[in-house]
Amino acid sequence: MQTHPKGIRARVLLSGVFGPYAQDDEFGSRAINPMELYQNQVTRAQGAFSLRMFHRSWGIMLIQANISAPCTLLDFPTREEFARERTANQYDIVGISSIIVNVGKVKEMCRIVRELSPQSIIVIGGHVAALPDLENMVDADHIVRGEGISWMRQYLGEDGHAPINHPAIVSALGSRMMGVKLPDGPGSTAATIIPSVGCPMGCNFCTTSAFFGGKGKFINFYETGDELYAVMEKVESEIDAHAFFMMDENFLLHRTRALRLLELMKENKKSWALSVFASANAISKYSMQELVELGISWLWMGLESEHSQYAKLHGANTLKLTRELREHGIRVLGSTIVGLEHHTRDNIASEIEYAISHGTDFHQFMLYTPVPGTPLYQEIADQGRLLPGLEWADIHGQDKFNFVHPGISRDDSKRFLDWAFWRDFERNGPSVYRICQTMLLGWKRYKNSPDARVRERFEREMKKLGSGYNAALWTMERKFRSINLTVSRQIRELRREVEKEFGLASRVVANVVGPILLWTTGREERRLAAGKTYEPPTIIERKNWVEA
Ligand code: B12
Ligand code: SF4
């Protein structure tokens, strides 16, 4: 591979695409597509109860941590801030990370670089590289398809296969709910760990699987439980993390690694909590005891319809599985695709009702969306069913179909999607209420667990349930009276159970803090109705830096 002539003396700028994001503009920002996980795709119909938070651009954070060249990382810049950094410092290499929806921004950033520092080499990476004709859409020197750490190392003349140095990453920032800022930063939020990229299951629509090799392929940054444990222990000591967000598309599929991690956690008395993504078939290879001892406290799982053919669901009774997981204190985020090939105007409502009947803590809905690089995209393109003339900025699965569906129109796709989010909220209540339910179930089952690590984990969570969360229940009970009286009563029941468990103190907190939360929730509702949106802060981090 061709390397940069300056090798590790080259000055590198790595940047995410520019904001603001939650607005409609000519570069491809869309109000419906904010830079927020939950508000964008999970709790968007939950108003002031929606969980709001931002996540850093982990791909370029990993690249920065694994090169020896002087490097600036720019996360969530505005267009002006990106241009200013280009002129404030001279860069030999400008690396831009993006996904497909943001290709318009990549084009503009390349234009800015060419104008302000024509000597810089422009490298584009991330999922945007799955666009087959990206070379003709943006003015870049290199387009990197797939894993970027080894590519960048090799481009700088370093060993592309050296072990991966994992930076300490605070999982979320700017968290807020019910109009109140939640504590974040070291010690109070989880650390993100990225054990692998890709997924070997190869579902036909899945871009992450396709981008890192497709069916049967994936890339492990950490092969063994020992390696993974060492990374987690290092991050624990660096940012005082007891909870980890395992950013691996199918963490539990790697069973040998997960079980070795469990052994080491036991040996070293680690009472860690793990949030993971996993497919139903992978989860069912573990006993509940193994999952609980491994600290699995939050699980993101695909819940496609009973009639879908996905291998990840084979042999799994997802209704039973979800119920059991919650009974063991494991919060479940179910993810359901709206608009699968067998969906029609007549059956879609019952398919959505079925998904919602899982009663998960959170529910993500996404439109079935053919995206370049996936087998589904190829199939739909070959059949001539891709809709012409759409902008890439509008193809993200949270608005309308980008293809001709046999049974559902494009406008109806949006109606059904919006209805799915609303119906889940109306029928199951705010997600924060549901996680309180799961936490209490877990606490009752495990408060006397013989495993001190498990007890300690539930005790940590319970401190929140007996205080702040109970006050939130007090507020939700009142707010939900006008939405669904039955759910409002269920919330009251839960609050009473919590108070029975935690006594007078929790009742006092609910009665004192509850009215304050009622007020902040009302204020937040008014702000949102007036069009308030949230944007992540710009972050600049320099490494191996020496002023030029
Ligand atoms: C965290 C995340 C987010 C965060 C964004 C954080 C941020 N700062 O950008 C949030 C939650 C806000 C988000 C939102 C959305 N996301 Co998102 N997100 C993810 C997620 C879960 C993890 C990304 C990650 O860090 N992965 C781990 C790192 C290590 O992998 P990576 O980013 O791919 O980076 C590697 C390579 O791609 C490459 N690389 C990356 N950047 C660069 C740069 C250079 C210069 C080089 C050389 C290489 C390189 O090297 C890295 C190491 O190998 C992925 C799924 C996944 N498992 O990856 C989806 C994913 C990236 N998101 C996706 C989508 C569609 C969206 C949304 C449109 C979703 C929606 N409609 O609801 C919105 C868009 C918001 C917006 N306005 O831009 C898709 C992208 C599909 C595509 N083909 O473009 C993914 C793949 C999920 C999926 N399977 O559909 N997302
Ligand atoms: S199991 Fe999940 S991550 Fe894996 S290919 Fe299927 S959709 Fe993608």
Side-chain angles (χ1 to χ4, degrees):
M1 166 186 176
Q2 182 201 355
T3 54
H4 191 280
K6 290 193 182 170
I8 58 166
R9 286 181 299 104
R11 298 167 78 80
V12 182
L13 172 65
L14 295 173
S15 182
V17 295
F18 60 84
Y21 309 96
Q23 60 172 28
D24 294 329
D25 72 20
E26 78 265 38
F27 300 112
S29 281
R30 294 290 184 266
I32 184 100
N33 194 22
M35 193 50 91
E36 291 175 273
L37 173 60
Y38 288 90
Q39 174 66 17
N40 187 325
Q41 4 175 348
V42 185
T43 51
R44 69 179 219 197
Q46 301 195 12
F49 297 110
S50 176
L51 185 51
R52 318 283 305 233
M53 61 172 72
F54 306 109
H55 296 85
R56 295 285 309 276
S57 303
W58 298 321
I60 46 178
M61 288 178 86
L62 277 188
I63 295 175
Q64 187 192 37
N66 284 283
I67 57 176
S68 317
C71 177
T72 300
L73 189 152
L74 202 49
D75 223 349
F76 314 122
T78 59
R79 197 157 68 103
E80 295 69 31
E81 283 163 336
F82 177 71
R84 200 176 315 131
E85 185 58 33
R86 293 294 315 110
T87 42
N89 289 291
Q90 288 301 314
Y91 289 101
D92 300 296
I93 301 168
V94 178
I96 300 169
S97 179
S98 175
I99 61 176
I100 290 178
V101 278
N102 295 321
V103 65
K105 298 184 180 198
V106 177
K107 186 174 177 195
E108 172 63 4
M109 290 166 87
C110 291
R111 191 194 64 72
I112 293 174
V113 176
R114 292 291 189 235
E115 184 184 311
L116 299 181
S117 65
Q119 79 288 356
S120 301
I121 297 288
I122 302 179
V123 183
I124 309 295
H127 285 266
V128 71
L131 283 170
D133 54 348
L134 186 62
E135 283 83 352
N136 302 320
M137 298 166 81
V138 302
D139 181 7
D141 298 292
H142 298 283
I143 289 172
V144 179
R145 298 197 157 89
E147 209 286 292
I149 302 172
S150 61
W151 189 93
M152 194 59 96
R153 279 172 159 175
Q154 289 175 52
Y155 185 57
L156 295 168
E158 299 195 81
D159 178 2
H161 304 289
I164 304 284
N165 169 35
H166 202 298
I169 302 175
V170 173
S171 167
L173 59 151
S175 309
R176 58 185 294 127
M177 202 176 44
M178 298 169 76
V180 175
K181 277 192 189 154
L182 306 176
D184 52 25
S188 51
T189 180
T192 298
I193 301 285
I194 304 168
S196 324
V197 285
C199 173
M201 298 300 289
C203 301
N204 66 341
F205 59 85
C206 182
T207 56
T208 342
S209 174
F211 195 63
F212 295 102
K215 205 173 179 68
K217 308 250 174 52
F218 59 96
I219 297 166
N220 265 350
F221 291 149
Y222 303 105
E223 286 289 340
T224 65
D226 293 74
E227 286 170 332
L228 195 53
Y229 177 83
V231 168
M232 292 168 74
E233 199 177 39
K234 173 176 107 53
V235 170
E236 175 189 39
S237 67
E238 285 172 5
I239 56 170
D240 189 25
H242 305 288
F244 296 90
F245 179 70
M246 309 302 279
M247 187 51 254
D248 183 314
E249 285 291 37
N250 208 337
F251 180 75
L252 295 175
L253 202 58
H254 309 271
R255 188 175 154 81
T256 314
R257 184 175 69 184
L259 291 183
R260 175 64 185 146
L261 177 66
L262 171 57
E263 262 173 36
L264 290 165
M265 283 169 63
K266 281 184 176 169
E267 259 171 56
N268 295 286
K269 304 192 172 34
K270 296 294 184 193
S271 165
W272 290 338
L274 270 58
S275 300
V276 304
F277 296 79
S279 53
N281 71 332
I283 300 165
S284 42
K285 302 274 180 328
Y286 296 75
S287 67
M288 283 296 149
Q289 188 181 344
E290 282 170 332
L291 294 175
V292 169
E293 290 182 352
L294 189 55
I296 305 294
S297 60
W298 188 96
L299 214 152
W300 186 309
M301 154 170 74
L303 292 177
E304 269 56 84
S305 127
E306 291 173 293
H307 307 292
S308 73
Q309 299 300 316
Y310 292 111
K312 62 179 174 176
L313 296 168
H314 279 174
N317 174 345
T318 52
L319 285 170
K320 180 165 169 277
L321 180 61
T322 306
R323 197 175 51 246
E324 265 177 39
L325 288 165
R326 294 190 73 209
E327 282 167 4
H328 287 263
I330 299 175
R331 280 151 274 177
V332 178
L333 192 160
S335 174
T336 296
I337 296 177
V338 173
L340 290 170
E341 294 280 350
H342 73 273
H343 286 161
T344 63
R345 278 179 63 89
D346 296 333
N347 70 16
I348 185 79
S350 62
E351 292 266 311
I352 290 170
E353 289 287 2
Y354 170 75
I356 289 169
S357 72
H358 284 81
T360 53
D361 298 77
F362 294 93
H363 215 124
Q364 176 195 37
F365 294 95
M366 264 296 184
L367 288 179
Y368 195 50
T369 305
V371 176
T374 61
L376 176 65
Y377 186 82
Q378 197 52 53
E379 188 188 316
I380 301 278
D382 291 348
Q383 294 168 358
R385 288 165 61 202
L386 288 174
L387 288 172
L390 298 182
E391 286 185 48
W392 288 112
D394 294 312
I395 300 177
H396 48 66
Q398 286 299 337
D399 190 27
K400 294 181 179 180
F401 281 149
N402 64 332
F403 70 109
V404 179
H405 188 281
I408 297 172
S409 73
R410 184 165 143 76
D411 285 343
D412 277 348
S413 69
K414 177 168 172 53
R415 261 178 236 129
F416 287 126
L417 180 70
D418 291 349
W419 181 75
F421 280 110
W422 168 252
R423 181 72 181 128
D424 175 55
F425 180 51
E426 181 196 38
R427 178 167 158 184
N428 292 324
S431 287
V432 58
Y433 149 62
R434 303 185 231 168
I435 64 178
C436 291
Q437 254 180 342
T438 308
M439 280 156 81
L440 188 65
L441 285 170
W443 166 251
K444 285 187 169 171
R445 190 177 276 257
Y446 290 107
K447 64 182 172 185
N448 297 317
S449 164
D451 186 337
R453 298 175 317 109
V454 172
R455 275 199 319 273
E456 195 189 312
R457 174 162 70 81
F458 282 99
E459 273 160 18
R460 266 201 318 266
E461 288 186 353
M462 278 320 106
K463 285 197 187 117
K464 298 183 208 156
L465 183 57
S467 54
Y469 279 113
N470 198 42
L473 288 173
W474 187 97
T475 307
M476 284 184 278
E477 174 191 332
R478 277 152 187 81
K479 278 282 173 192
F480 235 69
R481 280 178 194 152
S482 58
I483 300 174
N484 184 335
L485 199 54
T486 311
V487 173
S488 167
R489 288 190 183 127
Q490 287 163 353
I491 297 174
R492 186 176 55 212
E493 274 315 298
L494 180 66
R495 183 168 61 79
R496 290 198 172 142
E497 272 187 71
V498 171
E499 288 169 2
K500 223 186 290 161
E501 199 67 30
F502 299 98
L504 184 64
S506 62
R507 224 174 11 252
V508 172
V509 174
N511 284 304
V512 174
V513 182
I516 300 172
L517 280 182
L518 190 61
W519 182 80
T520 57
T521 303
R523 184 188 55 181
E524 185 73 356
E525 282 169 349
R526 288 190 293 282
R527 281 180 180 160
L528 295 173
K532 171 80 185 151
T533 53
Y534 291 97
E535 295 289 344
T538 301
I539 296 167
I540 302 188
E541 284 164 344
R542 303 194 199 276
K543 194 169 161 278
N544 309 319
W545 194 249
V546 272
E547 293 301 331

